[in-house]
Amino acid sequence: MNIGEASGRSGLPAKTIRYYEDIGLIRPDRSNNGYRDYGADDVHKLRFLHRSRSLGFSVEECRQLLALYEDKSRASADVKDIAATKLIEIDRKIRELTELRHTLEHLVHACHGNERPDCPILEELSEG
Amino acid sequence: MNIGEASGRSGLPAKTIRYYEDIGLIRPDRSNNGYRDYGADDVHKLRFLHRSRSLGFSVEECRQLLALYEDKSRASADVKDIAATKLIEIDRKIRELTELRHTLEHLVHACHGNERPDCPILEELSEG
DNA sequence: TATGAACCTTCCTGTTACTGGAAGGTCAAG
DNA sequence: CTTGACCTTCCAGTAACAGGAAGGTTCATA
């Protein structure tokens, strides 16, 4: 199938699929007219990539996961390590954002938001 | 003062300070030897930038905040709008990350993480 | 048969917010 | 006088694509 259909079936934009080929994540066949030609297994990989990316794995992590996925002799512990490390990162991000949220909420509530020039938000930003 | 001291006082790397000058956020004087020469107000602005960036404002938003900060006639409502919009964004990010966290945690717990090749994480990634 | 739309191709640039490094000038101390 | 710590400019690279130009292919339709 052409890239348009592979895009539709995998949920990835054609631009992204070409990019993934550029960086060596997938290698589709070529038709006689020069068009990329994707098989069912290619679409499978593309869906794998789509899902892993949306779960917060970087492209390099996806490359590792894909290699593990294709390696029948790998241990599931290898995969679990990658996922567990990512989980810790996500927890940290959530903590940081929550703290940020509290600070910002405090500032927004403290600001009366009227036509007068004094503003607690700017005051805090310039002093903090 | 030279860029090194301005860096130390503002908490921003010298590279970042030069970058902020490149994109027109600050305009320090120059000494006779060509070195950048920062005053107390420059350091004040740099600290403002540092803090706003760490609160999740983009550089362009910081530019707006800085302009509002320097404009004595601005209304505090303008600032409040920017901060409130950012608050909504942060909430959305937290929600997305939390959902992500649940999915990943589920996967990590489902995986026994041993030497055998079957792995629920990869299975879910390839099917989801 | 011509033509137009809807595909596809490669290549180049731009995005965000910096970071790293090369090549070279300046300054204070020993 | 040289060494080391500063400083300067400029160029390239990062992550993960997105947008667009210029042009080839295919298919349906007038």
Side-chain angles (χ1 to χ4, degrees):
Chain A
M1 75 193 76
N2 286 347
I3 198 171
E5 193 175 342
S7 167
R9 293 203 191 178
S10 67
L12 288 171
K15 277 274 186 189
T16 302
I17 296 178
R18 290 197 197 93
Y19 171 70
Y20 285 169
E21 182 178 347
D22 272 358
I23 63 175
L25 284 182
I26 44 165
R27 307 187 177 284
D29 287 344
R30 293 284 175 146
S31 306
N32 291 333
N33 57 11
Y35 288 13
R36 289 169 178 83
D37 183 23
Y38 296 88
D41 52 334
D42 291 318
V43 172
H44 202 101
K45 281 192 202 171
L46 289 174
R47 290 171 62 85
F48 183 103
L49 288 169
H50 189 191
R51 177 122 176 95
S52 329
R53 288 287 297 125
S54 74
L55 279 176
F57 293 99
S58 73
V59 165
E60 284 317 303
E61 284 164 340
C62 288
R63 193 193 297 277
Q64 292 174 46
L65 288 172
L66 206 55
L68 291 171
Y69 180 67
E70 291 179 314
D71 177 8
K72 296 304 176 199
S73 70
R74 89 272 177 285
S76 64
D78 295 341
V79 182
K80 190 170 183 172
D81 279 353
I82 295 179
T85 300
K86 182 57 58 177
L87 196 54
I88 290 172
E89 271 175 46
I90 290 172
D91 276 346
R92 187 176 43 72
K93 273 189 199 168
I94 291 176
R95 270 202 311 281
E96 286 173 3
L97 278 175
T98 303
E99 194 175 329
L100 197 61
R101 205 217 112 86
H102 287 323
T103 306
L104 255 187
E105 190 181 28
H106 165 74
L107 288 177
V108 167
H109 281 158
C111 177
H112 33 64
N114 57 17
E115 297 300 320
R116 283 183 300 148
D118 54 306
C119 170
I121 298 176
L122 292 181
E123 281 161 22
E124 164 112 11
L125 285 177
S126 72
E127 289 162 11
Chain B
M1 75 194 78
N2 285 346
I3 199 170
E5 194 176 340
S7 166
R9 293 202 190 178
S10 66
L12 289 170
K15 276 276 187 186
T16 302
I17 296 178
R18 291 197 196 93
Y19 171 70
Y20 285 168
E21 183 178 345
D22 272 358
I23 62 175
L25 284 182
I26 45 165
R27 307 187 176 284
D29 288 344
R30 293 284 176 146
S31 307
N32 290 334
N33 58 11
Y35 287 13
R36 290 169 178 82
D37 184 21
Y38 297 87
D41 51 334
D42 292 317
V43 172
H44 202 100
K45 281 191 202 171
L46 290 173
R47 291 171 61 85
F48 183 102
L49 288 169
H50 190 190
R51 178 123 175 94
S52 331
R53 286 288 298 126
S54 74
L55 278 176
F57 293 99
S58 73
V59 165
E60 284 316 303
E61 285 165 340
C62 288
R63 193 192 299 274
Q64 294 174 45
L65 288 172
L66 205 56
L68 291 171
Y69 180 67
E70 291 178 315
D71 176 9
K72 296 304 176 198
S73 69
R74 90 272 179 283
S76 64
D78 294 342
V79 181
K80 190 170 182 173
D81 279 353
I82 295 178
T85 301
K86 182 57 58 177
L87 196 54
I88 290 172
E89 272 176 44
I90 291 172
D91 276 346
R92 187 177 44 72
K93 273 190 199 168
I94 291 176
R95 269 201 313 279
E96 287 174 3
L97 278 176
T98 303
E99 194 175 330
L100 197 61
R101 205 217 110 87
H102 287 324
T103 306
L104 256 188
E105 190 181 28
H106 165 73
L107 288 177
V108 167
H109 281 157
C111 177
H112 33 64
N114 58 16
E115 296 301 321
R116 283 183 300 147
D118 55 306
C119 171
I121 297 177
L122 291 182
E123 281 161 22
E124 164 112 11
L125 286 178
S126 73
E127 291 162 10

